[in-house]
Amino acid sequence: MDNIIECNNLTHYYGNRCIYKDLNFEVKRGSILGLLGKNGTGKTTTINILNGYLKPTAGNCKIFGENSQRLSADTKRRIGFLLEGHIQYGFMNVTQIEKFFKPFYPGWKSDAYFELMNKLKIAPRQKISTMSCGQRSQVALGLILAQDPELMILDDFSMGLDPGYRRLFIEYLKEWASSQNKTIFTTSHIIQDMEILIDDCMIMDYGKLLISMPTQEFLNSFREFKCTVDKNNIELEKNNLIRNYEVQHGKLSIYSFGKQDEITQYINNLGINHGDITESKLSLEDAFIGLTGKY
Amino acid sequence: MNYLLYRKEWIKTRWALAALALLSIIIIVNVWITVNHDLRFVNAPRYWNAVVFEGYQFYGRWMRYIPFVAGIVIAIVQFVPEQYQKRLKITLHLPMRENRILLSMLSFGIVMLTAIFFILTALLTILSIIYFPVNIVWAALSTVLPWMLGGYAAYGILSMIITEPVWRYRIPQIILLAGVVYCFSFGYAYKIYNNILLTITIMAIALLMSLIYSGNRFKRGEM
């Protein structure tokens, strides 16, 4: 089976509010897919549906070919799940929690867990509820790595972590996934982290999916075109060419998958007086903001 | 895998269980001291007459509420940490059927409640046998039994309330809890529940299962 996750015509409403409608996507074995979006665009909703903790209004998700609402014990064993905020059993200590999870997973790798604990000098009897968010994140990561699942689903793994812990987390994940052809589905608000980690990205906006493609392809084809204009009240129609734009202090920025001459021709056709158009490549964070807007 | 879930539940609840066991012992010791005192220093024949012929309950009113307190405390220490930050998601993600996980957690609570009730019953029996005839011992035990059934029911309902994902659904459930505590504890006279013992036993078992209802609602992400 090539696709580990398949979501078909996924639709979800909270009351009358549409989170998304007819969302389709799949995650291939061995890929790391990042789901990006502003707050409230449905990232955690999607994670919850994938894990079977939320019944979608319509459509379905399949993980390893099973409906995510009715995952068997064997399939759950193949999925590592990280809750937002690195939540774990706070009433257990480092050793107790490892002992608890170990028998559930035949391929459990205690070394992976204790190596991480030793590296961070976490005492074996330290209670999880007394740990900092960074330490807790490493316990959660260590447990998932020890579980050695085929698929990891991570909900905002960078939440509350300082840059050092974030980098450590990403390096471990990247190494784990690439060396063993594992699959990761993740969300995060820290887009710089995602740029290092993910192979494919999906960017969501309110009620819809904006793009779904390999990250490198997105970064190679999505551009910012800038020029000076003589007024600030320019309004452009958003379409396949003009994905987004903003005008500030006499400067027009257009975000597009198009070529420079297409943009120039488009602006000229609208009769807008403008200066020289410059084209810039974008980081993933800039491209994300360019595509979705600042607010 | 049930033993693993039992271990987790034990780590979570052991201090509360120890406190409940201690409380049970203190209550019975207090009853013991009171009975001993009343027999020796008040008026032994009159006291004996009150217990044997007038239905005076020598174990006092506190005994009535201990099973409910035990049920409520165990439900809180067992399920609040699971509901806090939605940790129940971690538990339900364990490679077992969700209902089996919920039933394991429930059975742990039942076993622990039974252990507390065993301490209470054993000590009460010993105390009763020392001072009173066997028919009074049976009368005392059959009066206490419905309160214990109420303790199980209260445990089941409060587990459901804590696990319930939608606040507005908790309101009728809280009313149900208050009703159950009232129904299972209003009878104070000896053997008052004897004619309906089977009915309230079935009720208690049914109410114990209510966790499955809210656990499944939690699993489906009801909002």
Side-chain angles (χ1 to χ4, degrees):
Chain A
M1 186 199 316
D2 205 25
N3 289 336
I4 301 290
I5 298 175
E6 280 180 8
C7 287
N8 302 309
N9 302 319
L10 208 56
T11 301
H12 197 70
Y13 285 83
Y14 290 117
N16 291 326
R17 191 179 150 225
C18 175
I19 301 301
Y20 38 65
K21 202 163 188 281
D22 293 327
L23 179 66
N24 293 289
F25 69 90
E26 63 268 342
V27 182
K28 295 202 183 313
R29 182 183 296 277
S31 70
I32 305 179
L33 187 140
L35 180 59
L36 314 180
K38 293 177 184 173
N39 290 335
T41 50
K43 301 186 296 298
T44 297
T45 297
T46 309
I47 295 263
N48 282 334
I49 290 171
L50 282 177
N51 279 299
Y53 293 124
L54 185 63
K55 196 175 175 192
T57 308
N60 66 72
C61 275
K62 287 185 176 171
I63 301 187
F64 296 111
E66 275 183 21
N67 188 320
S68 69
Q69 299 300 304
R70 293 183 295 277
L71 294 177
S72 65
D74 283 339
T75 299
K76 285 201 276 183
R77 195 173 279 119
R78 298 163 77 186
I79 305 168
F81 176 37
L82 183 82
L83 275 172
E84 188 175 351
H86 313 280
I87 308 300
Q88 270 303 340
Y89 296 126
F91 47 85
M92 289 189 182
N93 67 34
V94 168
T95 308
Q96 283 170 337
I97 202 163
E98 197 268 344
K99 260 189 179 169
F100 170 70
F101 280 113
K102 185 177 178 175
F104 284 107
Y105 303 98
W108 187 264
K109 295 178 173 169
S110 294
D111 293 350
Y113 176 74
F114 286 113
E115 181 194 310
L116 203 55
M117 295 307 105
N118 290 338
K119 189 170 186 168
L120 296 160
K121 306 212 171 6
I122 295 173
R125 290 184 155 270
Q126 189 173 349
K127 219 172 164 185
I128 292 165
S129 60
T130 65
M131 290 179 176
S132 69
C133 186
Q135 287 177 317
R136 222 173 44 235
S137 73
Q138 299 311 301
V139 172
L141 175 66
L143 290 170
I144 295 190
L145 292 177
Q147 181 190 334
D148 197 26
E150 290 173 54
L151 166 68
M152 251 191 216
I153 298 178
L154 314 172
D155 191 3
D156 206 353
F157 69 85
S158 47
M159 185 178 162
L161 300 185
D162 66 30
Y165 274 119
R166 284 195 341 245
R167 189 55 64 90
L168 187 67
F169 205 108
I170 291 166
E171 283 171 0
Y172 263 85
L173 279 181
K174 188 97 182 159
E175 164 62 23
W176 174 82
S178 60
S179 64
Q180 300 175 70
N181 199 32
K182 305 281 190 179
T183 311
I184 300 178
F185 183 92
T186 181
T187 67
S188 172
H189 280 108
I190 314 283
I191 313 283
Q192 301 102 303
D193 293 347
M194 296 294 246
E195 188 163 359
I196 306 169
L197 180 67
I198 61 178
D199 305 319
D200 301 296
C201 65
M202 280 170 51
I203 299 183
M204 301 185 75
D205 203 355
Y206 299 102
K208 59 181 185 274
L209 179 67
L210 293 175
I211 63 146
S212 175
M213 61 172 65
T215 312
Q216 216 46 55
E217 187 186 324
F218 176 51
L219 293 177
N220 288 338
S221 55
F222 194 65
R223 293 281 188 272
E224 180 185 21
F225 299 94
K226 270 199 276 200
C227 62
T228 54
V229 285
D230 56 3
K231 50 189 176 182
N232 280 328
N233 59 346
I234 293 170
E235 288 201 7
L236 304 178
E237 187 193 344
K238 289 183 189 174
N239 52 33
N240 274 343
L241 182 64
I242 312 293
R243 298 304 290 258
N244 200 6
Y245 72 94
E246 62 181 33
V247 191
Q248 264 188 338
H249 312 303
K251 284 182 184 162
L252 171 65
S253 296
I254 291 174
Y255 300 94
S256 172
F257 287 102
K259 305 276 180 226
Q260 186 164 343
D261 49 355
E262 291 175 296
I263 299 292
T264 309
Q265 192 182 356
Y266 186 85
I267 299 176
N268 288 341
N269 287 347
L270 292 172
I272 297 169
N273 291 324
H274 62 88
D276 289 341
I277 295 177
T278 57
E279 178 182 335
S280 336
K281 276 187 87 165
L282 298 166
S283 66
L284 186 59
E285 180 166 278
D286 289 336
F288 171 76
I289 292 171
L291 190 64
T292 60
K294 285 176 187 153
Y295 45 84
Chain B
M1 294 298 168
N2 285 349
Y3 77 97
L4 292 166
L5 286 169
Y6 270 38
R7 187 197 285 168
K8 171 171 84 74
E9 299 306 301
W10 174 249
I11 291 169
K12 205 164 44 177
T13 58
R14 56 192 163 172
W15 296 113
L17 292 168
L20 282 171
L22 191 64
L23 179 69
S24 304
I25 293 166
I26 289 170
I27 295 268
I28 296 290
V29 167
N30 179 262
V31 171
W32 205 318
I33 291 167
T34 309
V35 170
N36 196 38
H37 172 271
D38 290 353
L39 279 170
R40 291 180 67 185
F41 301 110
V42 180
N43 183 334
R46 203 170 135 198
Y47 185 79
W48 172 269
N49 191 59
V51 171
V52 175
F53 299 111
E54 294 170 19
Y56 173 70
Q57 292 182 350
F58 59 91
Y59 38 82
R61 287 178 175 268
W62 281 108
M63 190 72 180
R64 181 154 51 148
Y65 297 107
I66 289 299
F68 295 101
V69 170
I72 286 167
V73 168
I74 292 177
I76 289 171
V77 294
Q78 212 185 338
F79 290 100
V80 168
E82 295 284 341
Q83 194 64 351
Y84 177 64
Q85 297 179 317
K86 302 207 169 164
R87 285 187 189 128
L88 189 57
K89 285 184 179 178
I90 306 173
T91 306
L92 294 178
H93 187 68
L94 291 169
M96 291 169 74
R97 281 281 172 205
E98 287 85 6
N99 280 345
R100 204 179 138 196
I101 293 171
L102 293 169
L103 284 171
S104 287
M105 294 170 80
L106 196 64
S107 64
F108 175 86
I110 294 169
V111 168
M112 290 303 120
L113 264 180
T114 307
I116 301 288
F117 295 164
F118 176 77
I119 293 171
L120 270 174
T121 314
L123 292 177
L124 183 67
T125 308
I126 293 167
L127 165 70
S128 311
I129 285 173
I130 291 172
Y131 295 104
F132 304 107
V134 173
N135 61 327
I136 290 297
V137 177
W138 281 118
L141 291 178
S142 63
T143 310
V144 168
L145 180 66
W147 301 340
M148 293 183 175
L149 288 172
Y152 288 114
Y155 166 75
I157 298 169
L158 191 58
S159 304
M160 169 178 72
I161 294 170
I162 296 168
T163 313
E164 168 58 48
V166 183
W167 256 106
R168 66 176 185 278
Y169 276 69
R170 285 183 173 151
I171 295 163
Q173 292 169 358
I174 289 168
I175 295 168
L176 176 66
L177 176 64
V180 161
V181 171
Y182 176 74
C183 286
F184 280 82
S185 66
F186 77 87
Y188 190 60
Y190 276 132
K191 300 181 184 177
I192 192 168
Y193 288 96
N194 274 17
N195 290 341
I196 54 164
L197 206 53
L198 181 65
T199 311
I200 61 171
T201 305
I202 293 167
M203 254 175 82
I205 292 169
L207 291 168
L208 263 176
M209 293 295 130
S210 52
L211 172 69
I212 303 299
Y213 166 75
S214 59
N216 278 285
R217 285 173 49 75
F218 178 91
K219 169 71 177 53
R220 288 197 303 269
E222 299 280 350
M223 296 184 92

